[in-house]
Amino acid sequence: MNGNETRTEHDLRASELSYRRLFEAAKDGILILDVDTGRINDVNPFLFNLLGFSRNEMVGKTVGELSPFKDIESNKMMLERLQTDGYVRYENLPLETRDGRRVAVEFVSNVYEAGDHNVIQCNVRDITERKHAEDEIRRFNTELEKRVVERTALLEAANDELEAFSYSVSHDLRAPLRHVLGFVELLQRGAGSSLSKKNLGHLTTIFQSAKKMGNLIDDLLAFSRVGRAQLQRQELNLGELLGETLADFQEDTRRRNIVWKIHPLPSVRADRALLRMVLVNLISNAVKFTGARAKAKIEIGCVPGSDTGTVVFIHDNGAGFDQEYADKLFGVFQRLHAQDEFEGTGIGLANVQRIIHRHGGQVWAQGVVDGGATFYFSIPK
């Protein structure tokens, strides 16, 4: 025997020893089967420990003859599939061990060369914990879906109640309010000459308060409808929509000295009626809060450089606000100015925020007391 043959035999023995160590230490089950008969030639410790059988009880049998694998296809069918496809795979094979434990395994068989002949190697991986985790996730998802259905039903019921409330507000509260306003007008016309200046002042206060209450009811109803209205998205020319909106303010502002600076605006995909409501509210605020300026300035345009959508700004040189309280601006009934300074119900900006949020955008503001304000809103692409 020459030196080359000795080295080859040494290398072969070293390779076999290395494989045997891996075989014995593997954390997956391994079966070695005869390629012609499908009978087990070898089995590693992990598998006979997992199943509760000794090595001697398993060697010499086919996989199907072992009780844990009773649900597997016949030995003949498995051999035929191996000869045709070269492998057999079971994603989730249920096994029952000798002591009655139930385990789930992933079973994969492959044909490969071992020296001068072929053998079948079956790898058996215990996936019981993974299956438990998957089952837990499915159970959680089922429970979550059930809760979503329940919450949806509760939300629908709440919406129905809100509809009923809106109907009640619209009819049951408006009717007596109209009566109050009507009778106050009758008193002012019919008995005005006989009333003292003080009592006429009382009537005027009643009339103005009732009118403000009517405006508040209208705004509350509008706020309610904004949350329930179905979005009708369409491609809009924002510049044209702004032009139509500004036309509504011509009569109210024709006696004012307002310098308008309007920049080109792009098209957006949005609900036309709701976006118009946003513009009306923000422009109305700009007009209102510049009322004390001898020369009011209102600028409307887009913030450049936004990759996620269109950001519109409306800037004015009016009364402004303290930036510390910017977060309060968009709450219902939140006002940063006294009622006798500037009229309003405190709902307009809440409507703006609700509409923009329903479009998937954001709304925010920057201001300085007596130094003007800038309102921004974004419409995603």
Side-chain angles (χ1 to χ4, degrees):
M1 185 181 293
N2 58 40
N4 288 336
E5 290 176 335
T6 302
R7 282 195 299 272
T8 300
E9 290 176 358
H10 178 270
D11 292 343
L12 182 60
R13 283 195 297 271
S15 176
E16 289 175 347
L17 180 60
S18 176
Y19 172 79
R20 195 67 199 177
R21 286 173 176 170
L22 291 173
F23 181 83
E24 299 288 340
K27 297 304 180 184
D28 288 337
I30 302 175
L31 291 168
I32 305 299
L33 312 182
D34 184 272
V35 74
D36 296 317
T37 65
R39 296 193 176 277
I40 299 171
N41 289 336
D42 204 353
V43 57
N44 74 333
F46 181 89
L47 189 57
F48 59 70
N49 288 333
L50 174 69
L51 300 179
F53 291 85
S54 69
R55 184 178 184 279
N56 291 335
E57 288 177 304
M58 299 179 70
V59 171
K61 295 182 179 179
T62 66
V63 172
E65 289 173 347
L66 297 173
S67 61
F69 296 95
K70 62 182 183 297
D71 294 327
I72 206 168
E73 62 187 318
S74 71
N75 187 60
K76 181 181 177 182
M77 289 179 63
M78 186 171 73
L79 290 176
E80 288 175 352
R81 287 181 60 192
L82 281 167
Q83 290 172 359
T84 303
D85 303 329
Y87 73 96
V88 173
R89 182 186 186 90
Y90 303 92
E91 295 285 347
N92 178 22
L93 183 66
L95 303 182
E96 184 174 329
T97 65
R98 169 168 273 177
D99 59 2
R101 290 183 299 108
R102 294 186 177 276
V103 295
V105 301
E106 184 180 76
F107 185 97
V108 181
S109 296
N110 291 280
V111 179
Y112 73 97
E113 287 187 14
D116 58 353
H117 66 287
N118 290 341
V119 297
I120 301 170
Q121 178 170 315
C122 302
N123 292 80
V124 183
R125 172 164 294 178
D126 185 359
I127 60 170
T128 306
E129 291 301 320
R130 190 180 82 191
K131 293 301 296 180
H132 284 165
E134 290 173 354
D135 291 342
E136 190 66 18
I137 290 172
R138 277 193 292 271
R139 186 195 64 77
F140 176 77
N141 286 339
T142 301
E143 182 66 23
L144 186 61
E145 289 173 3
K146 181 182 175 183
R147 290 185 181 181
V148 168
V149 170
E150 291 173 351
R151 295 287 174 87
T152 301
L154 290 173
L155 183 59
E156 289 175 351
N159 281 337
D160 290 341
E161 291 178 2
L162 186 58
E163 288 279 1
F165 170 75
S166 297
Y167 182 86
S168 174
V169 168
S170 178
H171 293 79
D172 299 344
L173 294 184
R174 276 176 166 173
L177 196 59
R178 284 196 298 269
H179 291 159
V180 170
L181 288 169
F183 281 109
V184 167
E185 285 184 308
L186 288 174
L187 277 172
Q188 286 175 328
R189 289 199 303 265
S193 59
S194 63
L195 293 175
S196 67
K197 185 176 180 180
K198 182 178 180 180
N199 287 333
L200 278 173
H202 292 331
L203 279 180
T204 301
T205 300
I206 293 171
F207 183 83
Q208 291 174 344
S209 297
K211 197 169 181 181
K212 287 177 184 176
M213 186 176 180
N215 293 335
L216 182 58
I217 289 171
D218 290 341
D219 285 348
L220 280 172
L221 288 173
F223 184 74
S224 171
R225 284 193 293 269
V226 163
R228 302 193 312 274
Q230 185 74 27
L231 283 183
Q232 304 292 331
R233 292 181 186 270
Q234 58 180 298
E235 200 69 22
L236 296 175
N237 185 314
L238 195 52
E240 290 181 2
L241 184 62
L242 176 62
E244 294 174 16
T245 307
L246 290 174
D248 295 343
F249 290 88
Q250 286 182 356
E251 182 61 29
D252 293 334
T253 61
R254 61 189 178 89
R255 294 185 181 87
R256 295 269 310 274
N257 183 13
I258 300 178
V259 177
W260 297 90
K261 186 176 182 180
I262 309 299
H263 298 275
L265 297 175
S267 293
V268 295
R269 186 165 178 78
D271 184 295
R272 180 183 180 84
L274 293 180
L275 192 56
R276 195 175 197 280
M277 191 182 298
V278 168
L279 293 174
V280 166
N281 274 290
L282 293 178
I283 294 170
S284 177
N285 273 359
V287 170
K288 176 170 63 176
F289 289 108
T290 56
R293 294 289 187 256
K295 186 177 182 179
K297 296 179 181 178
I298 299 175
E299 181 179 4
I300 304 172
C302 281
V303 177
S306 176
D307 296 329
T308 58
T310 300
V311 178
V312 179
F313 70 86
I314 298 178
H315 171 75
D316 66 70
N317 66 335
F321 58 88
D322 189 336
Q323 189 66 30
E324 182 181 351
Y325 304 107
D327 291 341
K328 294 179 62 178
L329 285 169
F330 301 98
V332 178
F333 301 133
Q334 296 293 330
R335 294 175 54 86
L336 301 186
H337 300 88
Q339 181 71 37
D340 56 359
E341 287 184 281
F342 300 100
E343 292 184 353
T345 58
I347 298 178
L349 290 179
N351 260 338
V352 167
Q353 184 180 65
R354 176 175 275 196
I355 291 169
I356 296 303
H357 281 181
R358 291 199 61 199
H359 280 80
Q362 297 294 323
V363 58
W364 65 100
Q366 295 175 344
V368 176
V369 175
D370 202 35
T374 306
F375 285 82
Y376 301 87
F377 67 86
S378 63
I379 301 292
K381 291 181 179 177

